[in-house]
């Protein structure tokens, strides 16, 4: 990360720095069926140009990864996740292939974050899309803070077309944070069920599909009213707050009421962050790392659980 992002530069167009992302490829006639049985998402009915959020859980419903998933061909599904988690995700998924007609591999594609000009106004939980041409793939993500976002995937020997922005700028992680979309990292591995980080709000959990690891826990949290934790957007004056840092409320400064999921330097200084929090503390005075947290408004509504 290269200090605070320049908001004007991001708006005008830039290649954004951010968390390294990697693509996993699933090839074979049973690729979609195999992943459908492993992820929180309906993979079987992915449309040709559609991108969906998805989660991969352990048997207790705790997230080991959040990813983007899309169909790159009739027998080709791609998963995009943080690079630090890709080897472990590949290893664990491979354990369950057994006799399924599918091959998993970690792609050598480069993944660049592009932001700026070309926004169509999509934001919040707007549908994600992708376009492919030869070896190039572009994912269209929802806008963040009114700034258009794309992911550009191509072989590592490829060079950016002259028409794409080429001015480096910090801010890829900040735009992720402000979009209200979390990534699971090594610090938060198996820390949350999907609803704790609003994954189902973003369409990343399909409650009508068949079983997957942890499905019973995720469904029980959704339908039995046991979910007491959610993810919120906040700001801190600190220069840095790493994932996993505990969040405290003023009423009980000795007992943590949440933890930090993802953070990034903000244009005005300090950091913006996503925090997982007991909903009962969402109106409390909060702190993390010894400094106050100020809650901000997410770009989407969190449903009230009755």
């Amino acid at each position: 990360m290269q200090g605070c992002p320049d908001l004007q530069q991001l708006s005008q167009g830039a290649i954004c720095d951010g968390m390294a992302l990697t693509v996993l490829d699933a090839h074979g006639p049973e690729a979609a069926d195999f992943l459908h049985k492993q992820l929180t998402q309906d993979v079987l009915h992915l449309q040709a140009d559609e991108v969906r959020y998805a989660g991969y859980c352990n048997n207790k419903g705790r997230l080991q990864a959040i990813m983007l998933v899309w169909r790159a061909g009739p027998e080709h599904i791609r998963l995009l996740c943080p690079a630090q988690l890709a080897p472990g995700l590949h290893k664990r998924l491979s354990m369950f292939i057994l006799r399924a007609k599918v091959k998993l591999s970690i792609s050598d594609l480069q993944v660049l974050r592009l932001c700026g000009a070309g926004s169509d106004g999509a934001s919040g939980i707007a549908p994600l899309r992708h376009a492919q041409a030869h070896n190039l793939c572009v994912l269209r993500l929802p806008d963040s803070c009114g700034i258009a976002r794309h992911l550009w995937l191509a072989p590592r020997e490829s060079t950016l077309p002259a028409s794409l922005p080429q001015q480096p700028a910090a801010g890829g992680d900040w735009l992720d944070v402000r979009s209200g979309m979390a990534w699971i990292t090594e610090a938060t591995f198996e820390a949350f069920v999907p609803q704790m980080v609003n994954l189902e709000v973003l369409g990343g959990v399909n409650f009508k599909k068949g079983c997957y690891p942890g499905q019973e826990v995720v469904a029980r949290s959704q339908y039995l009213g046991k979910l007491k934790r959610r993810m919120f957007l906040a700001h801190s004056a600190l220069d840095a707050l790493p994932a996993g840092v505990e969040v405290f409320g003023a009423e009980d400064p000795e007992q943590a009421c949440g933890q930090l999921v993802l953070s990034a330097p903000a244009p005005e200084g300090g950091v913006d962050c996503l925090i997982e929090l007991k909903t009962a503390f969402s109106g409390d005075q909060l702190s993390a790392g010894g400094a106050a947290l100020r809650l901000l408004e997410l770009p989407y509504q969190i449903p009230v659980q009755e």
Side-chain angles (χ1 to χ4, degrees):
M1 192 57 61
Q2 301 177 1
C4 297
D6 185 317
L7 189 56
Q8 181 178 3
Q9 190 179 74
L10 293 176
S11 300
Q12 292 176 347
I15 301 172
C16 301
D17 293 327
M19 182 189 304
L21 302 172
T22 294
V23 173
L24 273 68
D25 284 313
H27 288 275
E30 297 179 354
D33 181 67
F34 169 73
L35 292 173
H36 185 80
K37 295 174 182 177
Q38 296 295 322
L39 306 182
T40 61
Q41 185 57 264
D42 180 349
V43 181
L44 284 175
H45 298 99
L46 271 172
Q47 299 301 308
D49 65 342
E50 187 179 17
V51 182
R52 295 179 180 177
Y53 296 114
Y56 184 56
C57 302
N58 65 14
N59 290 334
K60 296 181 179 180
R62 298 279 168 160
L63 284 164
Q64 296 186 343
I66 290 176
M67 62 198 74
L68 299 178
V69 56
W70 69 98
R71 188 181 295 276
E75 298 183 357
H76 184 189
I77 305 294
R78 278 182 162 160
L79 312 172
L80 183 137
C81 68
Q84 60 183 249
L85 298 182
L89 182 60
H90 174 264
K91 181 178 180 180
R92 182 165 177 80
L93 283 171
S94 297
M95 291 170 55
F96 297 100
I97 290 179
L98 301 177
R99 297 182 179 179
K101 297 177 181 179
V102 56
K103 293 184 178 180
L104 293 176
S105 61
I106 298 178
S107 171
D108 62 352
L109 292 174
Q110 61 175 320
V111 182
L112 297 178
R113 301 163 179 259
L114 308 179
C115 65
S119 173
D120 57 11
S123 62
I125 53 176
L128 289 75
R129 292 287 183 262
H130 76 89
Q132 295 186 185
H134 303 292
N135 291 326
L136 174 66
C137 177
V138 178
L139 308 187
R140 175 66 167 98
L141 306 181
D143 289 3
S144 180
C145 294
I147 299 173
R149 299 186 300 152
H150 297 81
L151 295 175
W152 188 87
L153 293 73
R156 294 196 178 276
E157 64 272 14
S158 302
T159 57
L160 277 170
S163 60
L164 292 176
Q166 301 197 37
Q167 186 175 19
D173 288 338
W174 178 71
L175 291 172
D176 283 351
V177 167
R178 292 302 297 256
S179 76
M181 186 272 183
W183 295 106
I184 297 300
T185 63
E186 291 177 340
T188 56
F189 186 79
E190 296 185 342
F192 314 116
V193 299
Q195 294 95 325
M196 290 181 182
V197 290
N198 305 342
L199 185 60
E200 96 288 8
V201 181
L202 295 169
V205 182
N206 187 300
F207 293 101
K208 297 181 180 180
K209 56 165 286 185
C211 292
Y212 54 88
Q215 184 265 344
E216 290 185 3
V217 176
V218 177
R220 191 161 59 243
S221 297
Q222 187 73 14
Y223 295 118
L224 298 185
K226 294 185 178 181
L227 185 64
K228 305 296 183 183
R229 314 181 75 99
R230 278 294 189 180
M231 188 173 69
F232 298 86
L233 180 63
H235 178 80
S236 170
L238 294 178
D239 292 334
L241 273 175
V245 166
E246 293 182 326
V247 175
F248 296 89
E251 293 185 2
D252 189 356
E254 302 298 324
Q255 181 66 40
C257 59
Q259 65 177 300
L260 194 130
V261 182
L262 197 67
S263 70
E268 71 273 19
V271 295
D272 287 340
C273 51
L274 293 170
I275 58 172
E276 179 272 343
L277 183 69
K278 291 181 181 179
T279 54
F281 285 81
S282 60
D284 199 5
Q285 294 180 349
L286 303 170
S287 65
L293 288 172
R294 173 170 53 89
L295 289 183
L296 306 173
E297 185 176 352
L298 283 165
Y300 52 79
Q301 294 293 319
I302 297 176
V304 177
Q305 191 175 31
E306 299 180 355

